[in-house]
């Protein structure tokens, strides 16, 4: 993992301005950059861009290193990757109901090198059928009328209506009911929207509290923004507070019986896969799942999602093809994998490699993690004299964009 000092140094070297944000240890205000994907820190999965008010939502979840967390409405992934950064022996279910947005979510989860995670594409009612009181933390950044986004997106204004607000409020109440059923006793639920409408904010909170005597509205313990309406201890963030429009409420479930997370029996990997992983890693994953010839790994038990659509669970390590193991790009992007076979490159060489070029560089034969200052950003296959590029074409830089910005 990169330190904050390394990230700042990288951004400074590319002439991007990064300033600390008061009250947010892990957040930087970023400006003076032309193309986000050209930033080394972005390519390596060190940073994820999100609005400061959205970041507050993720921080309020306050997961511990061993928490089991669900992000119900997760795309594009800013809050999920923020939560994942706190987890070590914990587990994250990052869900998105919209299929296209779920693919964007998956891309960001992989770029940030998250290991103990499942990315699902499901409605919340299907998730609730599988998980009864199973999660320590649940985040519901609910779909809403988007009044806080009107100044940025015309679509929010074009779709605005009282009828849409009422429709959103009804849907939000339904989502919270399912989230409640998946929350462990003693667990924390964070509810947020990006709208100003009372019907979707304080009124939803009051309705939720009236339905569940065992739910307590707790102090979010933040000074940023301002107190909500109807004498509720919630937070509202307006543009004049320094962020987009946002509403946040934090709940605690007081009673109930914790459920048991349904898990799958770990699969035994074949000798070909085991040999490859031992050549590449100092420490191997604890658990494996095999789907046809695709191999996945992570450090906690794989979860049985029943009929829920799972896009990815754990790290997609690679495929067994004709008695050989072909690694995936995501295998070389994991934040805390300790790679044995790696090669160090200069910033100029990184720029070439991110454009799909072959590197004329001597190293051991076979697959190698390609690193800049010790941090991998992709991989290649060496014949001993040159490294053939294996970065997927869709992740390479455009011809006129460069890592080393002058």
């Amino acid at each position: 993992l990169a330190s904050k000092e390394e990230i700042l140094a990288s951004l400074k070297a590319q002439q991007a301005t990064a300033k600390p944000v008061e009250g947010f240890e892990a957040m930087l205000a970023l400006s003076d950059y032309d193309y986000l994907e050209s930033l080394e820190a972005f390519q390596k999965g060190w940073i994820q861009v999100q609005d400061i008010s959205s970041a507050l939502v993720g921080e309020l979840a306050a997961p511990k290193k061993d928490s089991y967390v669900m992000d119900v409405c997760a795309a594009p992934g800013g809050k999920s990757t923020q939560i994942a950064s706190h987890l070590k022996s914990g587990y994250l279910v990052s869900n998105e109901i919209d299929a296209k947005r779920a693919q964007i979510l998956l891309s960001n989860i992989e770029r940030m090198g998250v290991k103990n995670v499942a990315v699902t594409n499901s409605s919340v009612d299907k998730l609730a059928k599988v998980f009864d009181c199973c999660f320590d933390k649940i985040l519901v950044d609910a779909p809403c009328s988007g009044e806080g986004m009107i100044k940025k997106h015309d679509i929010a204004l074009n779709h605005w209506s009282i009828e849409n607000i009422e429709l959103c409020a009804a849907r939000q109440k339904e989502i919270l009911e399912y989230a409640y059923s998946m929350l462990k006793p003693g667990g924390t639920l964070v509810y947020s929207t990006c709208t100003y409408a009372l019907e979707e904010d304080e009124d939803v909170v009051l309705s939720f509290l009236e339905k569940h005597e065992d739910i307590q509205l707790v102090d979010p313990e933040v000074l940023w923004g301002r107190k909500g309406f109807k004498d509720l201890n919630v937070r509202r963030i307006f543009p004049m507070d320094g962020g987009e429009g946002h509403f946040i409420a934090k709940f605690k479930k007081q009673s109930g019986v914790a459920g048991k997370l349904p898990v799958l029996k770990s699969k035994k990997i074949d000798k070909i896969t085991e040999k490859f992983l031992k050549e590449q890693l100092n420490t191997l994953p604890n658990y494996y799942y095999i789907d046809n010839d695709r191999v996945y790994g992570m450090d906690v038990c794989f979860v049985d999602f029943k009929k829920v659509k799972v896009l990815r669970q754990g790290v997609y390590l690679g495929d067994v093809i004709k008695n050989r193991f072909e690694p995936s790009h995501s295998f070389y992007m994991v934040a805390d994998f300790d790679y044995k076979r790696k090669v160090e490159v200069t910033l100029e060489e990184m720029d070439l490699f991110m454009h799909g070029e072959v590197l004329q560089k001597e190293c051991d034969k076979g697959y190698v993690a390609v690193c800049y200052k010790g941090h991998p950003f992709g991989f290649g296959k060496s014949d001993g004299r040159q490294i053939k590029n294996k970065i997927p074409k869709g992740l390479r830089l455009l011809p006129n964009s460069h890592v080393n910005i002058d």
Side-chain angles (χ1 to χ4, degrees), residues 48 50 58 67-85 87 90-124 127 131 135 137-141 182 261 298 300 303 305 308-314:
Q48 169 69 17
Q50 64 182 131
S67 294
Y68 273 59
V69 185
M70 176 177 284
D71 188 353
V72 177
C73 315
K79 299 178 188 70
S80 275
T81 54
Q82 182 183 4
I83 288 169
S85 69
L87 304 178
Y91 179 74
L92 171 67
V93 176
S94 189
N95 178 68
E96 173 56 45
I97 190 171
D98 182 87
K100 289 183 178 179
R101 284 170 57 81
Q103 289 296 329
I104 296 170
L105 170 64
L106 175 60
S107 177
N108 280 320
I109 289 287
E110 289 189 342
R111 181 180 58 80
M112 297 293 284
V114 183
K115 180 166 53 176
N116 298 335
V117 64
V119 178
T120 57
N121 174 208
S122 174
S123 58
V124 67
L127 289 165
F131 304 111
F135 292 93
K137 312 280 183 177
I138 295 181
L139 175 60
V140 177
D141 187 27
M182 294 188 286
L261 199 73
M298 61 180 178
V300 297
V303 171
F305 281 86
V308 170
K309 184 178 180 181
V310 180
L311 300 184
R312 184 73 44 82
Q313 186 172 191

